[in-house]
Amino acid sequence: MDTKISKRLPSVVVVGGGIMGASTAMYLSKRKTKVTVIERFKVAGCASGKAGGFLARGWGNGPTDQLHRKSFDMHKQLAKDLELKSFRKLPTLSVSTTGSRKMKGATDRCKWLDGHVSAVSTMDPDTAQVTPVEITEKMMGVAQKNGAKLIIGAVKGIQREDEGKGKVSAVILDDGKKVTGDVFVFTMGPWTVECEAWFPELRVPMVGIYSSSLIFQHKAGSVAPFALFCSEDNNGTHLEVYPRPEGDVYVCGCGGSRHLKREDIVKIRPENVVEDPKRVMLATKVFCAMSPTLGKKKPDIAQACMRPCTDDGMPMMGAIPGEPNAFVATGHNCWGILWGPVTGLAMSELILDGKSKCVNLKPFTPARFQVKKSRRSRTKGKEAVGEDW
């Protein structure tokens, strides 16, 4: 479907200031498009500021393989273009801590694995990382430098042309103000479920995966760069560990994640997504046993985020069904940081050129979940008339 708006560059309103919104705004602004970003909390204030930032080029499957490969390569270039300090390549290890015997030579593989580790092997030597808050803020900074406007406020609805029957003409903020535009892109993470109330043919079958994470702070450059994926243990944790160049050691996979449905997501404000103390305690215990060198009695930072995950596990990227000028990009789950750059580029191409050139968006179309319009038994042309039998 050709979704190109017009030959004139449209003014675009992007709702959501995470990595999807920041990336979309950046790539649109690079093409001289007038962009307004609306963020209800702060840039990178939710999952885009609390994620791990793990990047893996060859970990895609089926339709997502193109996203992994293209966006991984984009990250390498963006690290140079945005002068990112946190991007680097690092190998990934598979670690087990559940065996009764302590492995000999674990510290030869990774010197800070100096606790109880029963097995270590190389999982992927060619992975990488970036600190999510840095790349998201830098992307938004480029967009603003190119003229994009950032508004802090919550979108509570939309306004349509032709007495409510036409295309979207504005979004309505919680203070009653209206932000007008030609095109509207909704990149609201799990809160994109709110769009179902505004667009009659849109379904967002999504849960918010509510998970805790920890940060142990150390001196910059003092922790050898290895990403770890750990087997599940008796505490219900399956830790992932990412030491960062700035000295932070990020730990997730704390277990006990909650899968929130739509009615629960909409009740939570982003700033109220907080950690589960029990999972923090258990994950800290497991990490300290694995790495006494890096572990502490308490993490320096305990936090939580809510990741958007669709029913089929794939993102939603494309035109909203039945809407000539409204788009959505959400549902990236644990690969949001990796797929952020390619999502922004693809959405900018879809809006300005009518089709994504960098990747094929067909597998990710929101129309795959489309609400079908009911048909009456009698019609006048395309107009429904008479009784609905």
Side-chain angles (χ1 to χ4, degrees):
M1 179 177 67
D2 188 350
T3 57
K4 188 174 181 180
I5 304 303
S6 71
K7 292 183 179 180
R8 175 182 66 85
L9 286 176
S11 62
V12 181
V13 177
V14 178
V15 182
I19 193 167
M20 303 308 160
S23 180
T24 301
M26 182 183 75
Y27 284 108
L28 285 169
S29 73
K30 283 176 174 285
R31 296 181 60 177
K32 311 301 182 184
T33 306
K34 180 182 177 182
V35 181
T36 300
V37 179
I38 305 173
E39 164 55 40
R40 66 186 295 182
F41 179 35
K42 62 180 181 180
V43 173
C46 304
S48 295
K50 299 176 181 178
F54 176 70
L55 311 174
R57 190 178 192 275
W59 289 30
N61 181 37
T64 66
D65 184 62
Q66 57 173 334
L67 303 182
H68 276 261
R69 295 182 182 279
K70 176 64 177 179
S71 212
F72 187 91
D73 294 342
M74 291 176 70
H75 269 283
K76 290 192 291 184
Q77 185 60 47
L78 283 169
K80 299 175 182 177
D81 296 343
L82 301 179
E83 299 181 345
L84 300 178
K85 296 180 180 179
S86 63
F87 176 87
R88 66 179 176 184
K89 292 186 177 180
L90 80 171
T92 297
L93 304 178
S94 174
V95 175
S96 175
T97 60
T98 57
S100 58
R101 290 186 178 184
K102 180 178 179 180
M103 174 186 174
K104 294 182 179 180
T107 53
D108 294 335
R109 302 294 300 273
C110 173
K111 66 180 182 180
W112 45 267
L113 283 177
D114 54 343
H116 185 84
V117 174
S118 54
V120 180
S121 61
T122 299
M123 194 172 186
D124 189 335
D126 298 317
T127 48
Q129 68 178 157
V130 69
T131 300
V133 69
E134 183 190 21
I135 187 170
T136 303
E137 290 180 345
K138 285 287 185 74
M139 285 178 158
M140 189 65 77
V142 170
Q144 290 178 286
K145 186 177 180 180
N146 291 339
K149 182 180 180 181
L150 175 63
I151 297 174
I152 300 300
V155 172
K156 292 301 181 182
I158 62 171
Q159 177 176 284
R160 294 180 179 274
E161 296 178 347
D162 301 329
E163 299 180 346
K165 299 179 181 179
K167 66 181 182 180
V168 181
S169 59
V171 291
I172 305 169
L173 305 187
D174 53 358
D175 62 3
K177 293 180 180 178
K178 299 176 182 178
V179 181
T180 60
D182 300 312
V183 181
F184 299 83
V185 188
F186 297 86
T187 63
M188 300 157 60
W191 288 276
T192 309
V193 296
E194 295 186 43
C195 292
E196 287 187 341
W198 310 333
F199 300 104
E201 294 185 45
L202 177 66
R203 280 193 68 238
V204 187
M206 178 186 292
V207 295
I209 303 179
Y210 193 127
S211 306
S212 300
S213 59
L214 324 173
I215 292 177
F216 297 88
Q217 295 175 337
H218 294 273
K219 184 179 177 181
S222 65
V223 184
F226 290 94
L228 306 186
F229 276 70
C230 303
S231 59
E232 187 167 358
D233 58 29
N234 295 331
N235 294 291
T237 74
H238 44 93
L239 299 188
E240 298 175 25
V241 183
Y242 309 122
R244 293 169 171 168
E246 60 266 35
D248 289 353
V249 179
Y250 177 95
V251 179
C252 64
C254 301
S257 295
R258 292 185 289 144
H259 291 215
L260 302 188
K261 296 182 179 180
R262 182 192 186 282
E263 56 267 28
D264 298 313
I265 293 171
V266 298
K267 296 176 184 176
I268 301 176
R269 295 177 63 87
E271 58 268 37
N272 294 332
V273 178
V274 296
E275 69 277 3
D276 180 339
K278 180 180 178 181
R279 302 317 306 177
V280 170
M281 179 189 69
L282 290 172
T284 300
K285 175 185 173 182
V286 172
F287 183 63
C288 287
M290 179 195 313
S291 180
T293 294
L294 299 183
K296 301 178 183 180
K297 290 183 179 180
K298 292 183 179 181
D300 295 286
I301 298 173
Q303 59 188 11
C305 68
M306 188 161 57
R307 305 188 310 274
C309 183
T310 62
D311 282 359
D312 65 6
M314 295 200 302
M316 297 175 67
M317 296 188 283
I320 293 177
E323 304 293 336
N325 68 330
F327 301 79
V328 66
T330 188
H332 297 67
N333 196 8
C334 55
W335 292 115
I337 303 305
L338 173 59
W339 294 344
V342 75
T343 296
L345 178 59
M347 294 304 295
S348 70
E349 291 175 342
L350 181 63
I351 292 165
L352 299 180
D353 304 321
K355 182 178 181 180
S356 168
K357 302 173 184 176
C358 60
V359 288
N360 176 18
L361 289 181
K362 187 176 180 180
F364 315 115
T365 174
R368 70 188 192 273
F369 300 124
Q370 183 175 359
V371 176
K372 302 297 183 182
K373 287 184 176 180
S374 61
R375 291 191 60 187
R376 293 176 183 266
S377 57
R378 194 193 305 276
T379 62
K380 180 184 178 183
K382 293 183 179 181
E383 181 186 2
V385 296
E387 252 187 293
D388 187 8
W389 295 334

